[in-house]
Amino acid sequence: MRALIVTAVPAERDAVVRGIRDAGAFEGVERALPGAPGYARHRLALPVTGASDALTLEALDADVLAAGVGPAASAAATGSALATATADGLPYDLVISAGIGGGFGVAPAIPPARTESAGTGSAGTGSVGAGQAAARPVGLALAAVVVADAIVAADLGAETPDGFAAVTDLGFGTIRHLPPAHLVRAAAEATGGVRGSVLTVSTVTGSAERAAELMARHPGALAEAMEGFGVAEAATAYGVPVLEIRTVSNAVGPRDRAAWRIDAALAALTAAFDALARALPRSMAENGAPTDPAGTARGSSALHEAASDAAAGDGPT
């Protein structure tokens, strides 16, 4: 399975790379995207342990990209990566928007190490265990994993005398992309994540009033970020399925930097991709072969060769 994983900033990219590396992947050489200075795909491959042929459909060949902040930057970089891969004859089978984000309904005062039972109605990092997926959380903890079952452009539209009107209400475009249900389920089960809508905004929420407004318009929303819809638009244009994975760094609402838990959220992102690197290729294989198995093998083979050369001292370190 060939996957493109798109983050906003290098800290998120590095957290994802650490997770895939922790799962046993080896690294290839970073490759810049044509026409996009500063964008480089960090290449990793994870063979199947014990497989007679490591380049099976259950192997992972991933490119991880820091695209920049916001839906426009993420759409441009994702489109560039998809076009380049297609031109190289190595199209992607899956695109993932990944990073940290704000959570709706988070209690900002929860210490990062605290865990409580979900049955109490309190949020806690122990409320959903690894390998157990919850369709809806009782409470959302800081550092919790959110798997989008809908990727929604929450502020794409117009202000009217009657309030906000989505662009679809104006007769244009779309505001929602729905990731494949079997991949959402597999991702949530692998990470212990919760499933719900992730909102994409161009302006991060900074008040309780706007948080309440967004929750009223999107009752299923669990998290807010700035890139998912842009990634999804580009992936959809190329006919590639898309996921969005977020770990919660702060509560959506008034900006209280003292309550942010960015380090904990990045650590959770690493743990999530450690699990996802093993689970998603198997789910893709069980639910239908990648679009170009031969291309997957060619891409993974090139990484195997690069890793062998590096180990022998003949290639980049």
Side-chain angles (χ1 to χ4, degrees):
M1 183 189 86
R2 297 202 71 236
L4 173 65
I5 304 169
V6 184
T7 69
V9 297
E12 293 170 324
R13 177 201 61 203
D14 294 346
V16 170
V17 167
R18 283 193 298 272
I20 300 174
R21 186 191 300 136
D22 288 348
F26 56 81
E27 299 179 52
V29 179
E30 287 194 9
R31 181 179 178 187
L33 291 174
Y39 290 157
R41 293 168 293 171
H42 195 112
R43 316 207 74 179
L44 302 103
L46 179 67
V48 178
T49 303
S52 57
D53 177 6
L55 307 180
T56 68
L57 300 184
E58 294 179 8
L60 173 66
D61 178 4
D63 289 342
V64 188
L65 172 67
V69 175
S74 67
T78 303
S80 179
L82 288 164
T84 300
T86 301
D88 289 345
L90 298 170
Y92 294 107
D93 306 302
L94 178 65
V95 176
I96 305 175
S97 175
I100 64 177
F104 290 97
V106 173
I110 295 176
R114 182 177 177 180
T115 59
E116 294 179 1
S117 169
T120 64
S122 299
T125 55
S127 60
V128 183
Q132 297 176 322
R136 292 290 300 166
V138 174
L140 196 59
L142 291 167
V145 178
V146 176
V147 181
D149 60 14
I151 302 169
V152 181
D155 57 4
L156 181 60
E159 291 291 340
T160 76
D162 297 321
F164 178 81
V167 70
T168 48
D169 297 329
L170 305 175
F172 303 105
T174 185
I175 62 167
R176 184 182 306 268
H177 291 286
L178 301 178
H182 71 276
L183 292 180
V184 172
R185 182 171 60 252
E189 290 175 351
T191 62
V194 290
R195 289 172 275 170
S197 299
V198 176
L199 307 185
T200 299
V201 295
S202 295
T203 301
V204 171
T205 299
S207 69
E209 292 76 16
R210 185 169 190 250
E213 177 189 349
L214 289 173
M215 291 180 71
R217 292 210 311 262
H218 306 283
L222 295 185
E224 170 188 278
M226 300 183 73
E227 292 78 34
F229 188 79
V231 173
E233 283 278 89
T236 300
Y238 279 81
V240 182
V242 64
L243 287 175
E244 183 168 9
I245 309 292
R246 295 285 167 180
T247 54
V248 177
S249 59
N250 57 278
V252 176
R255 293 172 64 81
D256 178 8
R257 288 179 177 269
W260 294 0
R261 296 292 183 268
I262 292 176
D263 288 346
L266 290 172
L269 191 63
T270 293
F273 273 87
D274 184 349
L276 290 171
R278 300 180 180 92
L280 287 181
R282 186 173 300 275
S283 180
M284 290 284 285
E286 290 174 350
N287 287 275
T291 54
D292 182 9
T296 297
R298 288 196 301 273
S300 296
S301 179
L303 282 181
H304 276 277
E305 292 171 3
S308 297
D309 290 345
D314 297 330
T317 58

